[in-house]
Amino acid sequence: MSVSMRDLDPAFQGAGQKAGIEVWRIENFCPAPIPKSSIGKFFTGDSYIVLKTTALKTGALRHDIHYWLGKDTSQDEAGTAAVKTVELDAALGGRAVQYREVQGHETEKFLSYFKPCIIPQEGGVASGFKHVEAEEHITRLFVCRGKHVVHVKEVPFARSSLNHDDIYILDTKSKIFQFNGSNSSIQERAKALEVVQYIKDTYHGGTCEVATVEDGRLMADAESGEFWGFFGGFAPLPRKTANDEDKTYNSDITKLFCVEKGQANPVEGDSLKREMLDTSKCYILDCGLEVFVWMGRTTSLDDRKVASGAAEEMIRSSERPKSQMIRIIEGFETVTFRSKFDTWTQETNNTTVSEDGRGRVAALLQRQGVNVRGLMKAAPPKEEPQAFIDCTGNLQVWRVNGQAKTLLQAAEHSKFYSGDCYVFQYSYPGEEKEEILIGAWFGKQSVEEERASAVSMASKMVESMKFVPAQARIYEGKEPLQFFVIMQSFIVFKGSISSGYKKYIAEKEVDDDTYNENGLALFRIQGSGPDNMQAIQVDPVASSLNSSYCYLLHNGSSVFTWIGNLATSTDQELVERQLDLIKPNLQSRAQKEGSESEQFWELLGGKTEYRSQKLTKEPESDPHLFSCSFTKEILKVTEIYNFTQDDLMTEDIFVVDCHSEIFVWVGQEVAPKNKLQALTIGEKFIEKDSLLEKLSPEAPIYVIMEGGEPSFFTRFFTSWDSSKSAMHGNSFQRKLRIVKNGGTPVAEKPKRRTPASYGGRASVPEKSQQRTRSMSFSPERVRVRGRSPAFSALAATFESQNARNLSTPPPVVRKLYPRSVTPDSSKLAPKSSAIASRSALFEQQLKTPPQEPSVSKPPKASPKTPESPAPESNLKGKEEKKERDKEEEKSMSSRIGSLTIQEDAKEGVEDEEDLPAHPYERLKTTSSDPVSDIDVTRREAYLSSEEFKEKFGMTKEAFYKLPKWKQNKFKMAVQLF
């Protein structure tokens, strides 16, 4: 069904022809286009139609149509919006999904178009309202709800509107306050700050102050007191009362209705099946919170309008304001709709079938001597995929043998056996720093025990590097382009040389087909160039051939190269290159498809039918982002629409699904035990198959840690700012600093160091090697956590060289306190001289207030001594010198003790930065689900900054300045002692 151009409303002419958002407002029962500058502004008395057009990787355009109804809009305007939406869909080809959006209950997909939020304004066209900026600022109170997208609603400016569960924004003339309910999550608080930034930019020109108030802080600081002053002073908040908006509806019960003559009649059946839907009818599927209208492909425009009206009446009569109505066309059903049915068969893509047929016909005709150049050109040219990884890095490869691994020589790095498992480490220059990728590769014939060993080994390597590297799990035959580029000339032999595989085939009594360089072997050659070419050993039979490839066949000293009729000149070049690697110094006999010698066919056991269509890998689809929670082996996911980097919260785990590959992103604030489950989460995600896309269980899985995102991950985001992950704290603390800094990320620590990689390609440029070495000696490495550089330097003076970690040289000591240039200064500088020089510095630090760090030259550590002192005077001098040393060391000890106290007080909070945060309910001594692996004498240290302030009424810094007995008293009061 389609609509002719003359029946199309003039306002919709040219709509949906390019990617973007188009909006129309219903004015006098007709859609009127909204200028781009006003997109995102909604009035409560109006109805709108919103068209979102998305350009897909396939080149096609996808359309989503929403009609938004303000709370004060008239029934006539709402009806017009619903009808015009059906007309717009029909004009676009009848493939769009249509959503009914009600103010205050919008879908997350709709809100994602207008991030960070929409704040509808009073008035509308029907009432003759004309929006004019008010000269006098009006104080307003908003409630914010949502972890991924924010629902913002204006509420009465009164204390009774506040509660402990939600987040509120108080917009005053000179300052914006964010009040965080004690039961709200860190992620919700961070998202609400984006609304604060929006209000600041939109209504204050980006110049007003911003303050946050924690629920339960009382009057502990000036900002809290100022906030409560607007409400007439502090008073306890009431418990949240249930209202109509908080009602929940059972979404597990689904009922199917068939719409006939305007009436919705129930469809009987024990379970839902695709066969129940007739292409000539419209149906309503009532799922409680979601009401679907399914429209058959051959239904008329009037039938669709009637079905939509029946669904509207169903929602209205059952008083379900939160229910969302979604209209879909047969053949373009959403994943959510299809998931409601027990069985659903997806139609085959006709384009793929026709391309496959074209290839087969072309190969067949070419074998018969027909020129197929024109037929082959019929296929549209495909864009060459990019690897997004540098190929000049250092590579190390280990073969897994049982529970052990063997390091391979550089010449064997890219020669794998199909019955083995391998672990590889690849370090390479990234855009801003050295990147590391650690992965496990499973051969098709490998045994399960060695696969588990390979994953365990790779995970331990990542953990030993503090989760800095990215991790990959790769199956033979499903290798991503990044892997091939790393390996460059990749060869896969049949069989294995590991003991696990040998034991397995002995138990199963299977023939050992391990590659023999002097035996019979056939290789399929594939790739795109010298830096991406593979030789895959296949069964030495004619059915293994394919007209789209070149092959290498050898038996002892006899070597043949076979060129398929559909192979390109690049393929022919690659077979010559692989010949030099597999059978060097031997002359091959070229065999052109259709003119092979008898000896060639004899080696393959005779001529038989074989394929002509090029082998296709899983295509990469448009990426989808999911937020994940994984508890008790159950994975729950929530899709985030129109995602950006800001949607990645440091406390959570996310999955980017692009069908051919799965990326698991892990935030820095995720607990270590959950970080170790990241690969399992990726596997569970594939099993769950949330998009019903038939994900391959062998699809590559990457685990990406926050702060170490490689280019092949960040490419899925429209823009990427690496400085955001260089900030300290949780999501809320980071966002708060960004908001207070005018919207700019504040990096608080240097670029992360990555360890050097040893052993690898001989062809690695010297520049790359020097870079790796220089980056492994960061001055920050010897900084003792919780101590200043000055104190660390003093400690280093007395530190035993045998006890020092030799892999972490202490350049910070040389930087702060350079040694004398005297050749023998190391021999002549006694311990007392070091003490004296540092004493002067410490005394100066204790007398002067804290300032910006600065380093001054210390006194010379190598005073001149007489060349040949008399024996008696020398002995006497030594005794006096010992006494002086004792006095100075005694004096120094007291100074160090005093300094230690000041250092701990000054940097006690920083000391807690690296500790994982746990909820109070799991930390208290009476918890039914206590946290393990913590220091039970310091339970309070594991609280987040927000919960700490809530329970103790002060910051961690203030708490640790208190005497120990007073700290314990506070801890006992909150069951943390």
Side-chain angles (χ1 to χ4, degrees), residues 501-638:
Y501 176 81
K502 301 293 185 185
K503 180 181 177 183
Y504 172 80
I505 61 173
E507 291 175 353
K508 298 293 182 179
E509 297 182 353
V510 180
D511 292 336
D512 187 354
D513 60 352
T514 301
Y515 171 72
N516 180 357
E517 63 180 357
N518 296 319
L520 178 64
L522 178 66
F523 293 87
R524 183 181 68 247
I525 310 301
Q526 60 192 37
S528 60
D531 292 335
N532 172 23
M533 59 180 183
Q534 301 89 47
I536 312 299
Q537 187 178 358
V538 294
D539 292 332
V541 291
S543 58
S544 296
L545 298 175
N546 188 313
S547 300
S548 296
Y549 295 94
C550 295
Y551 287 77
L552 191 154
L553 174 68
H554 74 68
N555 184 26
S557 58
S558 299
V559 182
F560 297 88
T561 56
W562 185 82
I563 313 299
N565 284 334
L566 299 180
T568 65
S569 58
T570 301
D571 295 327
Q572 297 179 38
E573 179 189 348
L574 295 184
V575 76
E576 293 298 327
R577 288 179 176 272
Q578 290 288 18
L579 177 63
D580 291 338
L581 297 172
I582 298 173
K583 280 293 182 180
N585 305 321
L586 284 180
Q587 187 66 35
S588 67
R589 284 182 276 178
Q591 306 286 305
K592 185 71 176 172
E593 182 180 4
S595 57
E596 299 89 349
S597 64
E598 286 296 325
Q599 185 183 2
F600 176 82
W601 291 120
E602 285 176 7
L603 290 175
L604 294 179
K607 188 175 181 179
T608 60
E609 289 293 319
Y610 51 83
R611 299 180 62 182
S612 58
Q613 181 67 19
K614 203 173 185 72
L615 301 176
T616 57
K617 286 188 173 290
E618 292 285 351
E620 182 176 285
S621 65
D622 294 275
H624 295 260
L625 179 68
F626 294 86
S627 172
C628 302
S629 64
F630 187 58
T631 53
K632 297 180 180 179
E633 297 297 314
I634 297 175
L635 177 67
K636 295 182 179 179
V637 300
T638 303

Side-chain angles (χ1 to χ4, degrees), residues 64 94 105 123 159 186 190 201 205 292 457 484 510 566 643 659 685 710 725 752 763 790 807 832 855 864 885:
D64 291 285
H105 306 293
R159 182 190 285 109
I186 291 174
D201 295 338
F292 295 92
M457 291 171 186
F484 285 148
V510 180
L566 299 180
F643 61 86
H659 185 70
F685 182 87
S725 59
R752 190 187 64 247
S763 60
S807 65
S832 58
V855 180
K864 286 188 178 181
D885 284 356

